[in-house]
Amino acid sequence: MISEFFQSIFGEEIPAGLRLSVLCLPSRASVLTPTLGDACCKVAAQLTHENIYFGLGLIKGSPEGRGKSSDVGAIGCVWADIDFAQGDHAGKKLPAGREEALQFVGELP
């Protein structure tokens, strides 16, 4: 399942010279993996006791840590963070909830 998820974003393999950034919390351990298989192994090993995050931008070079925006060499997909008009966002012109957000996305060109 993890492998299929990564493949849906990055394709069959990470291009040569680029690496996928994986971050684990609360330990703050990070790794730059050259293959999707390596990323899957890292996620599987940490999944039971850590929250796992990964960068959608593939990292070029050998930066310290998980890399910064200036280290991104390729992007595997387009993504969006869609907030609801609730909590900290109450009163803003945002979708009221999940159904309204899905309708908004469905109407995008």
Side-chain angles (χ1 to χ4, degrees), residues 55-106:
L56 290 169
L58 296 172
I59 303 299
K60 62 184 177 190
S62 299
E64 299 248 344
R66 57 190 171 132
K68 298 179 180 160
S69 60
S70 59
D71 300 314
V72 172
I75 296 174
C77 66
V78 176
W79 68 95
D81 176 12
I82 300 173
D83 294 314
F84 301 151
Q86 302 169 3
D88 291 342
H89 302 292
K92 295 183 179 176
K93 190 175 178 181
L94 295 169
R98 184 177 189 276
E99 291 303 317
E100 200 172 305
L102 289 172
Q103 180 180 348
F104 166 75
V105 170

Side-chain angles (χ1 to χ4, degrees), residues 44 95 108:
L108 292 173

Side-chain angles (χ1 to χ4, degrees), residues 21-38:
S21 176
V22 178
L23 171 67
C24 303
L25 292 177
S27 71
R28 301 196 56 80
S30 65
V31 64
L32 296 173
T33 65
T35 70
L36 294 178
D38 289 346

Side-chain angles (χ1 to χ4, degrees), residues 35-59:
T35 70
L36 294 178
D38 289 346
C40 291
C41 288
K42 177 67 173 176
V43 169
Q46 303 299 323
L47 197 55
T48 60
H49 57 283
E50 298 250 52
N51 294 311
I52 309 294
Y53 300 87
F54 67 95
L56 290 169
L58 296 172
I59 303 299

